Amino acid sequence: MALISKVEAGFYRIPLEVAVSDSMHGEMLAFELNTVRITDADGAVGVGYTYTCGRNGAAIDAILRRELPELLIGEDADRIEHLWNKIWWAQHYGGRGGPTVLALSAADIALWDLKGVRLGQPLWKLLGGNADRVSCYAGGIDLDYPLEKLLAQTDGNLKKGFRAIKMKVGRKRLSEDVERVAAMRRHLGDGFPLMVDANMKWSVDEAIRAARAFQPYELTWLEEPIIPDDVAGHARIVREGGLPVAAGENLRTLWEFKQLVATGGVTFPEPDVTNCGGVTAFQKIVHLAEAFNLPVTSHGAHDVTVHLLAAAPNGAFLEAHGFGLDRYIAEPLRIEEGLAIAPSRPGHGIAFDWQGLEALRA
């Protein structure tokens, strides 16, 4: 039995080397990183994390510091499903989403990492071992980039081994988006996987109009065309827009995914392991999608998610983001000919530079 003896939270502000922007969040100069280290009585340690676009990290940190130790210390670390439900219901009244679920996600990731460390197995094998690699795309946060800079960024990602690219849309005029998508298609050539992401910018009718305008450019998907709360609107876009739709990075529970999937509002469900409830919830979303014969993609946290999508029989594309966290990880994600390689190290295999992060403590 692996009894939990210690729960330690960390809160850091990671500056971006280059400012990024999208249609709804505006300019981002840094992101917040919340970590949790869970230690068992034998001294084994599991690490989990979540992140924000620059706000609410302090609220997550308060939950990890003040609530989680009381709920976890003395418990059997191997009973992850039990611990997930204990944390969920202990905090349910005060918040079914937002910082509460982000903190739960970080703790759940740490528990799965700890299990892998104890067993000497990589996470993708613990979760079923479907494969040790998955198709991967470069997710650019580039809405305001001039076209020349957008294409130069794309060339840089191709040199890194990426064989699929996502770009931002949602500029003031749809004609500008269409012009940029057309330029990217010409640059990449026919058949190259190209995705676009609107970051919830449009109304339903605007999204349908945009999807129809993008049809000639052979897009793999249109991502987050509208707010996540409008399930019926998503279903209309899938039916009337003529493009596959990816969505889910802002959904916080399995049950929210159930509503979106069951109503036909998504083609590529897109959970984020750091905000949907962790590895435990992510796996349930994967199997929910599998039951509806849908492929699953991901958002953020590629160093953890590479294990989850590689393990999934219906894993589609892993998103790789350049948030700057690679500077504080010993062995960043490895890309080979468009495939992200799931590490063979125990657990998720992420080794943070804690000393380097200490200088960025928030």
Side-chain angles (χ1 to χ4, degrees):
M1 183 182 297
L3 295 182
I4 296 170
S5 64
K6 187 187 300 183
V7 178
E8 302 171 274
F11 179 29
Y12 313 94
R13 188 170 179 83
I14 312 294
L16 294 172
E17 293 181 324
V18 178
V20 297
S21 60
D22 66 33
S23 63
M24 292 301 283
H25 299 100
E27 186 178 60
M28 290 169 273
L29 303 175
F31 77 98
E32 295 173 312
L33 174 69
N34 293 91
T35 65
V36 59
R37 283 179 272 186
I38 298 177
T39 305
D40 70 15
D42 296 324
V45 180
V47 177
Y49 74 93
T50 187
Y51 67 94
T52 80
C53 294
R55 295 287 185 272
N56 286 342
I60 300 167
D61 183 60
I63 295 167
L64 292 173
R65 289 182 184 279
R66 298 177 57 181
E67 310 294 341
L68 268 292
E70 178 183 349
L71 294 169
L72 292 178
I73 290 176
E75 289 278 4
D76 182 351
D78 285 334
R79 297 184 61 197
I80 298 176
E81 188 77 30
H82 161 71
L83 294 176
W84 194 98
N85 278 282
K86 182 178 181 181
I87 296 170
W88 172 263
W89 288 110
Q91 301 187 100
H92 185 270
Y93 187 83
R96 298 176 59 251
T100 301
V101 175
L102 272 69
L104 168 58
S105 300
D108 186 81
I109 292 168
L111 289 168
W112 277 100
D113 184 43
L114 177 58
K115 185 168 187 174
V117 168
R118 288 182 61 88
L119 295 176
Q121 290 289 319
L123 187 53
W124 65 271
K125 282 191 176 181
L126 287 183
L127 299 175
N130 182 66
D132 67 349
R133 59 198 64 205
V134 64
S135 296
C136 185
Y137 73 86
I141 307 179
D142 44 34
L143 181 68
D144 294 325
Y145 282 12
L147 181 57
E148 296 77 13
K149 186 175 180 180
L150 175 64
L151 297 180
Q153 172 186 259
T154 298
D155 288 338
N157 284 323
L158 295 177
K159 289 179 181 177
K160 293 175 184 176
F162 289 101
R163 297 296 179 265
I165 300 290
K166 188 176 79 178
M167 61 180 287
K168 296 295 187 184
V169 292
R171 291 169 75 91
K172 290 183 179 179
R173 295 199 302 271
L174 177 58
S175 60
E176 295 178 347
D177 284 328
V178 173
E179 179 184 353
R180 288 161 66 84
V181 170
M184 279 287 279
R185 173 49 70 204
R186 289 193 299 270
H187 192 71
L188 295 171
D190 293 340
F192 190 99
L194 173 63
M195 303 84 161
V196 299
D197 184 356
N199 288 108
M200 309 173 287
K201 176 66 174 180
W202 298 315
S203 69
V204 176
D205 288 334
E206 288 171 336
I208 293 170
R209 188 158 54 248
R212 291 172 176 173
F214 294 149
Q215 281 184 17
Y217 305 108
E218 192 190 354
L219 298 181
T220 302
W221 69 59
L222 167 61
E223 184 171 328
E224 274 209 309
I226 60 173
I227 59 172
D229 316 88
D230 188 354
V231 175
H234 275 89
R236 270 196 64 202
I237 295 166
V238 171
R239 287 196 309 270
E240 301 175 30
L243 286 180
V245 170
E249 70 181 70
N250 283 295
L251 300 183
R252 297 293 180 258
T253 71
L254 169 66
W255 303 282
E256 289 177 341
F257 274 94
K258 175 197 169 187
Q259 292 174 18
L260 189 63
V261 168
T263 55
V266 63
T267 319
F268 289 85
E270 183 192 7
D272 183 325
V273 68
T274 69
N275 69 30
C276 74
V279 176
T280 298
F282 192 104
Q283 289 302 104
K284 293 177 181 181
I285 294 163
V286 164
H287 295 310
L288 168 69
E290 184 181 13
F292 281 83
N293 199 29
L294 294 176
V296 174
T297 183
S298 65
H299 175 262
H302 54 247
D303 296 285
V304 177
T305 316
V306 62
H307 291 273
L308 311 188
L309 286 189
N314 54 331
F317 286 93
L318 172 76
E319 177 178 45
H321 254 321
F323 274 146
L325 193 57
D326 285 358
R327 303 195 304 271
Y328 302 97
I329 293 177
E331 298 182 60
L333 184 69
R334 184 159 56 96
I335 306 294
E336 294 180 359
E337 292 299 316
L339 300 176
I341 311 302
S344 58
R345 301 181 296 275
H348 53 51
I350 300 171
F352 282 112
D353 174 9
W354 297 109
Q355 185 175 351
L357 285 173
E358 189 60 34
L360 303 175
R361 187 175 287 276

